[in-house]
Amino acid sequence: MLLKILPRGLMVAAMILLHAAPVAQADNSPDFLPLMPYPQTIEHAEGHLKISAPLQFAVADRATPRVKAALQRLNTTLAQRPGVAPEARPILIRLQSLAAENTAPITAPNTELDTADEAYRLTVNGAGITLAARTDVGVLRGLATLAQLTGAAGSVSLPYVVIDDAPRFAWRGLLLDSVRHFISVATIKRQIDGMAAAKLNVLHWHLTDDQGWRFESRAYPKLTELASDGEFYTRQQIKEVIAYAKARGIYVLPEVDMPGHASAIAVAYPELMSAPGPYLPEDRWGVHKPLLNPANEDVYTFAKAILQEVTELFPFGYVHIGGDEVDPEHWQNNAKIQAFMAEQNLADEHALHAYFNGRLASILTGLDRAMIGWDEVLHKDLPAGTLVQSWQGPDALGRAINAGFPALLSTGFYLDQPQSSAYHYRVQLEPQPLDIDTQAHPGEPWRSWRFTMPRKRGSAVAGTVSVISSGDSLRGFVDFNGKSRASVRDLQWQDERLSFALDSWMGPLRANLTIDGDALTGPVLAANAPYTLTGELIASSERDGSELPTAIAKDIISPENHDLLLGGEAALWAEMVDEHNIDVRLWPRGFVVAERLWSSKDLRDADFMYQRLDKVSGWSAEVVGLQHFAQWRDGLAAVVPEPQQALVLNISRALEPAQYYHRHHEKSTHGTYSRRDSLKNLVDVLPAESRATQKFSTDAKRWLSDTDNTAALVAAQAQLSSWQKDAKALRKLLEKNDPANLLGVTQTLQQVSEWGLTILTALAEGKPLGDDERSRAYRELQQAMQIQDEMIVAPARVVMGWLAH
């Protein structure tokens, strides 16, 4: 039976969820609950229930085996807590059904992903704990919330609450790439534990790619003999992972890449390819040329045998066939393939790709499975029911859905790209209409510039930026080449200065530009590292016949297609991820993506999110066993000697890995951009964002907006002084011994800290910097914001901002 995803919002009648935005509460509020994902509704009451004994279901027969196992895992963690006596009389949990009859059975769900299956009501009061759900998966989600309520340390005291909860989306996934760097079964299981804690429900397992073939094939054994480096999963190991995930209410989706990303297949079976071999094992990253030959019937024999093996192992109702980044060169240069296209009346390589996908979909239909592919599979001839997963963004997502295909979003949720949690949190899954008027009306001055921003790898980022003035207000927008129009925020246009911000596929962008006649130049911070923008005026209200640029139409999802947006997936591609830093990259940001997919779309307060994230991050390390803190500390200890470690730990709190794909671009320039590049540097275990910098920036903002708040000023100065002092001490040690090549960033942090203290003092005393000193500060801070050994000194961008005051 094919897995069907029911429309979200289909709930049992007995459960009415209120979708009003939850009220943000400070973490010192008695009602503050450090929960992620945040529940749909919470009702607070006075009082607490002290947990001094194990938890036990009042009627054990109402719990399925996986629910009993989940409670046992929770009790194991509670047994380590003070005041919980294993021998004491158990505290009972009453299980009820959310159905009209509370005595209705609570069973495992059928093969459909349904938001109602995961709904639960958790009640804690003086009478004890009651957990109501329609299925045992709902019970698992309720127990996950209960586990978070128990906290991470100290005696266990649960607040009196009633939590009504269910996911916003039925599909909430996490992609793990086991190809670029192999991930052990034990490590995958740990990530599944994290997924269960975050209420994610689909593990998307990327098993084949150019760099390797990772699952055992009996039909084509040379795939692992020649194209795996001996690192692959046996059939028994795959079954073990699937069973582990199922016990936690998680499906496992296999991905087998075809027709592209096929270099591993080419090594083992070159006769199936579109260009003659032999082929060598691929260890470089990027898009490679080998393609399966759609004109060769043996390719479909291969595909059917492989997919048969996949479906024998994976019971989930979908199989992912990749289908992305097809470079058609080998198809174009193969005379037999070109002749085949003519015979089949295939107009171009896109049609040939659609033909190939149609053959795969037919094979999967015969195996009682539905097909998933990335954006590039979208075509007018794509078989109905194919699920499209978008990595290209909301434009592609909207096109797929409005063409009648179910879809998932991953853009904005790539966790292998270090980005701030706030950026992930701002993602709107549905394509959004513009929130400004982009037409210039009579009497409104406007200008448009064409710009380009070169990158170290790949083509330059290019497009146009336009600004319209209307009295005292401004509105502006950017048209990136090939993408629909995006409005900007924080827009300022004064004489020769133009600044603005917006979110993009590269992360948050912040431009600080200079207008010199018709020229436009300046830095654009892409995530946390700068690009250099150059541009020229192409149209303005002062030029006769000028017109604003024409926008690419945005595919807003029509109301009748809204339920085709099934959810989304976080993605962890593994070019720069291995066993030693996977948790640093996944957690705690995985909870942020999980909340965006589970919680109300109106829950947007980033400050409230960070308050809870800090708590959940510690809880997940201590209770769930995630290793994001341990990998940071262990990685640091591995690269610096003992005398330096304490100092480097403090310094590292001010550092970030270069975000977006800046590190990929750096390795393309300075390394091999392959698996030969080391992942044993400090940058590889740095958290994605510097929370210390964010907190010190917040302190400074509080003081700058209220100069009577001396406590905030003192806190900001104290952080800068700590970094300045430790950087100075570390420099002396590194000048003698610098095995991790940290002298450069240490010197930069010392310089940034000293400028920060100087500028804050000047502002506090009302004595602004002189022109020469300000110019020198600007030059040195601008240099300090550059990438150094793939790292960013995060406080530099904060201190640079103070120069505007």
Side-chain angles (χ1 to χ4, degrees):
M1 176 179 175
L2 282 181
L3 181 146
K4 175 185 176 185
I5 300 182
L6 297 184
R8 60 184 192 278
L10 180 60
M11 302 296 299
V12 289
M15 184 173 188
I16 301 174
L17 295 181
L18 303 178
H19 290 288
V23 177
Q25 295 158 341
D27 58 9
N28 58 0
S29 164
D31 291 338
F32 175 78
L33 297 179
L35 300 176
M36 291 191 80
Y38 203 68
Q40 299 289 349
T41 66
I42 301 177
E43 294 180 15
H44 298 270
E46 293 293 330
H48 285 76
L49 176 66
K50 184 174 178 58
I51 304 298
S52 56
L55 305 176
Q56 179 177 303
F57 292 118
V59 180
D61 290 347
R62 304 213 72 198
T64 62
R66 62 176 168 181
V67 164
K68 292 177 182 178
L71 184 63
Q72 181 57 49
R73 292 192 296 272
L74 176 55
N75 277 328
T76 298
T77 65
L78 292 177
Q80 313 302 316
R81 304 284 290 277
V84 179
E87 306 83 10
R89 184 174 181 178
I91 295 173
L92 298 181
I93 299 178
R94 289 178 293 279
L95 282 182
Q96 295 180 352
S97 171
L98 278 173
E101 293 292 334
N102 280 336
T103 57
I106 298 174
T107 62
N110 56 25
T111 57
E112 298 170 331
L113 275 181
D114 179 356
T115 54
D117 281 340
E118 298 182 270
Y120 68 92
R121 177 182 296 122
L122 176 64
T123 303
V124 180
N125 56 31
I129 301 170
T130 302
L131 184 51
R134 190 177 80 170
T135 71
D136 68 344
V137 176
V139 177
L140 292 176
R141 305 303 181 235
L143 288 175
T145 298
L146 183 62
Q148 286 193 8
L149 285 174
T150 64
S155 59
V156 184
S157 181
L158 303 179
Y160 287 177
V161 291
V162 178
I163 294 175
D164 270 331
D165 202 11
R168 177 184 173 200
F169 291 106
W171 190 302
R172 306 177 311 283
L174 168 63
L175 180 150
L176 291 183
D177 172 8
S178 287
V179 180
R180 275 49 177 263
H181 287 94
F182 188 74
I183 305 172
S184 70
V185 169
T187 296
I188 292 173
K189 287 181 176 180
R190 187 171 68 249
Q191 310 319 315
I192 291 172
D193 288 337
M195 291 179 66
K199 301 185 177 72
L200 295 169
N201 67 346
V202 177
L203 171 62
H204 177 167
W205 201 358
H206 187 72
L207 288 164
T208 77
D209 212 301
D210 291 299
Q211 295 80 14
W213 186 278
R214 302 298 182 208
F215 79 87
E216 178 184 11
S217 170
R218 293 174 178 171
Y220 289 86
K222 287 194 289 186
L223 289 167
T224 50
E225 291 171 3
L226 301 179
S228 73
D229 294 323
E231 293 183 316
F232 63 91
Y233 304 101
T234 66
R235 295 170 68 90
Q236 183 56 42
Q237 287 175 316
I238 289 173
K239 291 177 181 178
E240 184 181 341
V241 168
I242 293 170
Y244 195 86
K246 181 180 179 181
R248 289 151 180 81
I250 295 169
Y251 294 96
V252 183
L253 167 70
E255 180 177 354
V256 179
D257 254 319
M258 292 184 278
H261 285 278
S263 298
I265 302 174
V267 170
Y269 296 96
E271 64 273 18
L272 299 177
M273 309 311 292
S274 300
Y279 293 86
L280 297 175
E282 185 60 76
D283 67 355
R284 298 169 299 158
W285 313 135
V287 179
H288 302 290
K289 296 184 183 298
L291 292 174
L292 289 169
N293 182 351
N296 182 351
E297 198 61 30
D298 289 343
V299 166
Y300 302 104
T301 301
F302 168 83
K304 184 174 183 179
I306 292 297
L307 294 175
Q308 174 75 46
E309 291 184 302
V310 167
T311 55
E312 288 172 356
L313 289 168
F314 293 87
F316 193 42
Y318 283 92
V319 173
H320 205 302
I321 56 86
D324 59 317
E325 297 181 321
V326 172
D327 182 336
E329 180 181 320
H330 287 182
W331 287 350
Q332 294 167 342
N333 294 336
N334 185 312
K336 291 183 178 179
I337 291 177
Q338 292 299 306
F340 177 81
M341 291 172 61
E343 292 169 7
Q344 298 293 326
N345 293 316
L346 300 173
D348 54 25
E349 285 73 26
H350 296 292
L352 178 62
H353 189 191
Y355 170 87
F356 178 82
N357 290 333
R359 294 287 300 268
L360 294 189
S362 178
I363 292 169
L364 285 169
T365 298
L367 296 170
D368 200 25
R369 296 293 188 275
M371 186 171 80
I372 305 183
W374 295 100
D375 287 311
E376 291 90 331
V377 303
L378 185 62
H379 189 273
K380 65 181 180 64
D381 297 328
L382 184 66
T386 301
L387 200 164
V388 178
Q389 183 170 3
S390 180
W391 67 271
Q392 294 180 345
D395 290 343
L397 182 86
R399 283 194 297 272
I401 289 176
N402 286 333
F405 295 97
L408 305 169
L409 182 70
S410 283
T411 311
F413 297 148
Y414 270 39
L415 298 183
D416 56 302
Q417 296 181 19
Q419 296 278 12
S420 71
S421 296
Y423 168 72
H424 300 305
Y425 203 61
R426 287 194 298 269
V427 169
Q428 299 267 16
L429 276 83
E430 304 93 338
Q432 298 296 304
L434 284 172
D435 55 1
I436 63 168
D437 179 3
T438 62
Q439 298 299 312
H441 302 286
E444 292 184 335
W446 60 269
R447 293 186 190 179
S448 292
W449 295 265
R450 181 181 293 111
F451 67 83
T452 184
M453 296 189 295
R455 298 185 292 180
K456 293 182 179 179
R457 179 180 175 85
S459 59
V461 177
T464 62
V465 56
S466 303
V467 182
I468 304 171
S469 177
S470 179
D472 294 332
S473 65
L474 296 171
R475 57 191 190 273
F477 51 88
V478 173
D479 295 289
F480 291 108
N481 289 353
K483 297 186 180 294
S484 64
R485 180 165 290 171
S487 60
V488 302
R489 61 181 186 271
D490 302 337
L491 175 61
Q492 296 185 38
W493 177 22
Q494 294 179 340
D495 300 325
E496 75 282 2
R497 306 298 303 170
L498 176 65
S499 63
F500 57 86
L502 76 159
D503 284 342
S504 76
W505 74 96
M506 297 174 284
L509 301 184
R510 185 166 291 277
N512 188 10
L513 308 174
T514 299
I515 302 169
D516 185 5
D518 287 351
L520 186 68
T521 59
V524 175
L525 204 64
N528 65 354
Y531 284 147
T532 298
L533 178 148
T534 58
E536 61 178 352
L537 188 69
I538 57 171
S540 81
S541 55
E542 299 170 353
R543 293 183 178 180
D544 292 338
S546 282
E547 294 183 356
L548 286 163
T550 301
I552 294 176
K554 187 186 289 282
D555 276 277
I556 303 300
I557 298 174
S558 59
E560 62 270 22
N561 289 328
H562 194 259
D563 283 335
L564 292 175
L565 176 54
L566 304 183
E569 288 188 354
L572 190 78
W573 300 105
E575 289 93 341
M576 297 182 193
V577 173
D578 65 8
E579 289 276 304
H580 303 97
N581 68 351
I582 182 172
D583 292 53
V584 173
R585 288 291 159 259
L586 266 182
W587 311 108
R589 289 182 300 148
F591 285 96
V592 179
V593 177
E595 179 158 297
R596 183 51 55 233
L597 297 172
W598 177 286
S599 302
S600 166
K601 69 177 181 180
D602 297 320
L603 185 64
R604 313 298 302 181
D605 187 331
D607 290 337
F608 184 48
M609 176 271 292
Y610 274 118
Q611 290 171 7
R612 291 176 290 115
L613 183 63
D614 288 341
K615 301 286 188 182
V616 170
S617 179
W619 169 82
S620 65
E622 189 167 331
V623 175
V624 182
L626 302 181
Q627 295 184 6
H628 45 293
F629 292 131
Q631 289 181 347
W632 181 12
R633 292 191 302 267
D634 293 348
L636 184 151
V639 298
V640 297
E642 177 66 35
Q644 301 176 4
Q645 287 179 15
L647 292 172
V648 172
L649 180 61
N650 188 29
I651 297 302
S652 72
R653 292 191 175 100
L655 304 178
E656 293 173 341
Q659 294 173 349
Y660 172 51
Y661 279 140
H662 296 306
R663 291 190 63 203
H664 294 251
H665 301 166
E666 290 293 299
K667 289 186 185 299
S668 295
T669 304
H670 304 294
T672 68
Y673 196 53
S674 72
R675 71 170 85 241
R676 298 189 297 277
D677 294 320
S678 172
L679 295 183
K680 299 187 181 302
N681 302 305
L682 179 61
V683 64
D684 294 300
V685 293
L686 285 178
E689 57 189 325
S690 167
R691 287 291 287 134
T693 296
Q694 293 170 0
K695 291 174 181 177
F696 125 84
S697 176
T698 298
D699 286 330
K701 287 178 181 176
R702 287 166 52 209
W703 176 73
L704 288 169
S705 64
D706 176 13
T707 53
D708 291 331
N709 190 345
T710 55
L713 173 62
V714 168
Q717 290 174 322
Q719 179 62 86
L720 286 169
S721 295
S722 172
W723 280 331
Q724 187 269 343
K725 174 176 170 290
D726 283 359
K728 184 176 180 180
L730 182 60
R731 278 185 64 180
K732 293 181 179 179
L733 295 174
L734 294 176
E735 286 167 355
K736 300 176 182 177
N737 181 26
D738 186 15
N741 196 30
L742 298 179
L743 182 57
V745 292
T746 302
Q747 291 173 326
T748 298
L749 179 59
Q750 181 182 345
Q751 182 184 57
V752 168
S753 300
E754 289 168 351
W755 272 122
L757 291 167
T758 297
I759 296 169
L760 281 183
T761 299
L763 292 172
E765 295 177 353
K767 299 176 181 179
L769 301 181
D771 290 344
D772 289 345
E773 192 175 23
R774 178 179 292 272
S775 295
R776 184 162 61 89
Y778 181 84
R779 289 194 306 272
E780 293 183 1
L781 290 170
Q782 190 175 46
Q783 182 60 39
M785 292 168 63
Q786 304 298 313
I787 298 172
Q788 299 182 64
D789 294 314
E790 301 178 21
M791 293 180 286
I792 293 292
V793 177
R797 61 178 179 265
V798 178
V799 176
M800 173 69 90
W802 297 345
L803 288 175
H805 288 270

Tab-separated table of all heavy atoms in Angstrom, residues 380-404:
chain	number	residue	atom	x	y	z
A	380	LYS	N	6.826	18.816	-17.489
A	380	LYS	CA	5.416	18.584	-17.822
A	380	LYS	C	5.100	17.098	-17.958
A	380	LYS	O	3.929	16.685	-17.815
A	380	LYS	CB	5.038	19.321	-19.102
A	380	LYS	CG	5.753	18.841	-20.349
A	380	LYS	CD	5.332	19.643	-21.564
A	380	LYS	CE	6.047	19.182	-22.824
A	380	LYS	NZ	5.704	17.804	-23.176
A	381	ASP	N	6.123	16.267	-18.246
A	381	ASP	CA	5.905	14.827	-18.391
A	381	ASP	C	6.218	14.038	-17.126
A	381	ASP	O	6.216	12.803	-17.149
A	381	ASP	CB	6.756	14.286	-19.541
A	381	ASP	CG	6.369	14.891	-20.878
A	381	ASP	OD1	5.178	15.193	-21.054
A	381	ASP	OD2	7.255	15.074	-21.732
A	382	LEU	N	6.486	14.727	-16.017
A	382	LEU	CA	6.768	14.019	-14.763
A	382	LEU	C	5.503	13.296	-14.306
A	382	LEU	O	4.418	13.902	-14.273
A	382	LEU	CB	7.218	15.015	-13.694
A	382	LEU	CG	7.643	14.429	-12.346
A	382	LEU	CD1	8.916	13.599	-12.491
A	382	LEU	CD2	7.857	15.547	-11.318
A	383	PRO	N	5.599	12.026	-13.954
A	383	PRO	CA	4.398	11.281	-13.543
A	383	PRO	C	3.695	11.921	-12.349
A	383	PRO	O	4.345	12.391	-11.404
A	383	PRO	CB	4.954	9.895	-13.190
A	383	PRO	CG	6.200	9.770	-14.004
A	383	PRO	CD	6.780	11.152	-14.046
A	384	ALA	N	2.386	11.950	-12.404
A	384	ALA	CA	1.583	12.515	-11.323
A	384	ALA	C	1.889	11.786	-10.015
A	384	ALA	O	2.137	10.580	-10.004
A	384	ALA	CB	0.105	12.403	-11.659
A	385	GLY	N	1.855	12.524	-8.932
A	385	GLY	CA	2.102	11.945	-7.621
A	385	GLY	C	3.541	11.960	-7.194
A	385	GLY	O	3.848	11.697	-6.025
A	386	THR	N	4.470	12.245	-8.116
A	386	THR	CA	5.882	12.360	-7.741
A	386	THR	C	6.043	13.524	-6.775
A	386	THR	O	5.501	14.609	-6.979
A	386	THR	CB	6.762	12.598	-8.976
A	386	THR	OG1	6.595	11.507	-9.884
A	386	THR	CG2	8.226	12.723	-8.587
A	387	LEU	N	6.775	13.295	-5.711
A	387	LEU	CA	7.012	14.339	-4.712
A	387	LEU	C	8.296	15.078	-5.087
A	387	LEU	O	9.322	14.444	-5.339
A	387	LEU	CB	7.124	13.711	-3.323
A	387	LEU	CG	6.918	14.610	-2.098
A	387	LEU	CD1	6.673	13.757	-0.860
A	387	LEU	CD2	8.087	15.527	-1.838
A	388	VAL	N	8.237	16.405	-5.137
A	388	VAL	CA	9.384	17.228	-5.511
A	388	VAL	C	9.967	17.870	-4.258
A	388	VAL	O	9.251	18.543	-3.510
A	388	VAL	CB	8.977	18.313	-6.526
A	388	VAL	CG1	10.181	19.198	-6.866
A	388	VAL	CG2	8.402	17.674	-7.787
A	389	GLN	N	11.253	17.651	-4.039
A	389	GLN	CA	11.948	18.271	-2.900
A	389	GLN	C	12.775	19.439	-3.423
A	389	GLN	O	13.610	19.269	-4.313
A	389	GLN	CB	12.838	17.262	-2.186
A	389	GLN	CG	13.522	17.852	-0.948
A	389	GLN	CD	14.202	16.801	-0.103
A	389	GLN	OE1	14.232	15.615	-0.443
A	389	GLN	NE2	14.759	17.212	1.024
A	390	SER	N	12.567	20.619	-2.852
A	390	SER	CA	13.186	21.820	-3.394
A	390	SER	C	14.438	22.213	-2.619
A	390	SER	O	14.384	22.460	-1.416
A	390	SER	CB	12.205	22.993	-3.372
A	390	SER	OG	12.825	24.157	-3.897
A	391	TRP	N	15.564	22.276	-3.355
A	391	TRP	CA	16.781	22.866	-2.824
A	391	TRP	C	17.038	24.219	-3.482
A	391	TRP	O	17.909	24.969	-3.039
A	391	TRP	CB	17.983	21.951	-3.039
A	391	TRP	CG	18.387	21.759	-4.485
A	391	TRP	CD1	17.928	20.822	-5.354
A	391	TRP	CD2	19.343	22.528	-5.219
A	391	TRP	NE1	18.530	20.956	-6.587
A	391	TRP	CE2	19.412	22.003	-6.539
A	391	TRP	CE3	20.167	23.613	-4.900
A	391	TRP	CZ2	20.254	22.524	-7.524
A	391	TRP	CZ3	21.009	24.132	-5.887
A	391	TRP	CH2	21.046	23.582	-7.177
A	392	GLN	N	16.272	24.537	-4.513
A	392	GLN	CA	16.484	25.786	-5.244
A	392	GLN	C	15.658	26.939	-4.709
A	392	GLN	O	15.829	28.067	-5.148
A	392	GLN	CB	16.185	25.571	-6.732
A	392	GLN	CG	17.159	24.608	-7.399
A	392	GLN	CD	16.865	24.408	-8.872
A	392	GLN	OE1	15.791	24.749	-9.362
A	392	GLN	NE2	17.825	23.847	-9.588
A	393	GLY	N	14.745	26.677	-3.783
A	393	GLY	CA	14.078	27.767	-3.117
A	393	GLY	C	12.593	27.858	-3.369
A	393	GLY	O	11.995	27.050	-4.092
A	394	PRO	N	11.966	28.877	-2.759
A	394	PRO	CA	10.507	29.025	-2.850
A	394	PRO	C	9.981	29.146	-4.275
A	394	PRO	O	8.869	28.702	-4.559
A	394	PRO	CB	10.246	30.311	-2.048
A	394	PRO	CG	11.400	30.410	-1.100
A	394	PRO	CD	12.577	29.861	-1.848
A	395	ASP	N	10.756	29.765	-5.193
A	395	ASP	CA	10.287	29.864	-6.581
A	395	ASP	C	10.049	28.474	-7.166
A	395	ASP	O	8.994	28.193	-7.749
A	395	ASP	CB	11.310	30.612	-7.443
A	395	ASP	CG	11.386	32.096	-7.113
A	395	ASP	OD1	10.454	32.604	-6.459
A	395	ASP	OD2	12.371	32.731	-7.491
A	396	ALA	N	11.040	27.592	-7.021
A	396	ALA	CA	10.919	26.236	-7.552
A	396	ALA	C	9.836	25.462	-6.814
A	396	ALA	O	9.082	24.685	-7.424
A	396	ALA	CB	12.266	25.513	-7.444
A	397	LEU	N	9.737	25.666	-5.507
A	397	LEU	CA	8.697	24.994	-4.722
A	397	LEU	C	7.318	25.395	-5.225
A	397	LEU	O	6.439	24.546	-5.430
A	397	LEU	CB	8.857	25.365	-3.251
A	397	LEU	CG	7.872	24.709	-2.284
A	397	LEU	CD1	8.392	23.344	-1.851
A	397	LEU	CD2	7.645	25.580	-1.054
A	398	GLY	N	7.105	26.704	-5.432
A	398	GLY	CA	5.812	27.168	-5.906
A	398	GLY	C	5.474	26.627	-7.282
A	398	GLY	O	4.314	26.269	-7.557
A	399	ARG	N	6.478	26.554	-8.183
A	399	ARG	CA	6.228	25.997	-9.517
A	399	ARG	C	5.766	24.551	-9.430
A	399	ARG	O	4.829	24.136	-10.136
A	399	ARG	CB	7.490	26.094	-10.374
A	399	ARG	CG	7.781	27.472	-10.917
A	399	ARG	CD	8.822	27.438	-12.022
A	399	ARG	NE	10.122	26.962	-11.553
A	399	ARG	CZ	11.056	27.741	-11.035
A	399	ARG	NH1	10.829	29.043	-10.879
A	399	ARG	NH2	12.215	27.252	-10.648
A	400	ALA	N	6.442	23.776	-8.582
A	400	ALA	CA	6.083	22.362	-8.460
A	400	ALA	C	4.664	22.199	-7.920
A	400	ALA	O	3.862	21.407	-8.449
A	400	ALA	CB	7.089	21.649	-7.559
A	401	ILE	N	4.342	22.930	-6.872
A	401	ILE	CA	3.026	22.782	-6.243
A	401	ILE	C	1.922	23.266	-7.171
A	401	ILE	O	0.883	22.608	-7.325
A	401	ILE	CB	3.009	23.528	-4.900
A	401	ILE	CG1	3.880	22.779	-3.879
A	401	ILE	CG2	1.586	23.677	-4.371
A	401	ILE	CD1	4.015	23.462	-2.549
A	402	ASN	N	2.128	24.400	-7.832
A	402	ASN	CA	1.094	24.905	-8.736
A	402	ASN	C	0.950	24.055	-9.991
A	402	ASN	O	-0.051	24.163	-10.706
A	402	ASN	CB	1.364	26.359	-9.083
A	402	ASN	CG	1.046	27.289	-7.916
A	402	ASN	OD1	0.205	26.971	-7.073
A	402	ASN	ND2	1.730	28.419	-7.849
A	403	ALA	N	1.961	23.201	-10.259
A	403	ALA	CA	1.829	22.225	-11.347
A	403	ALA	C	1.124	20.954	-10.878
A	403	ALA	O	0.936	20.021	-11.666
A	403	ALA	CB	3.208	21.879	-11.911
A	404	GLY	N	0.753	20.914	-9.584
A	404	GLY	CA	-0.018	19.793	-9.060
A	404	GLY	C	0.779	18.725	-8.357
A	404	GLY	O	0.237	17.655	-8.051
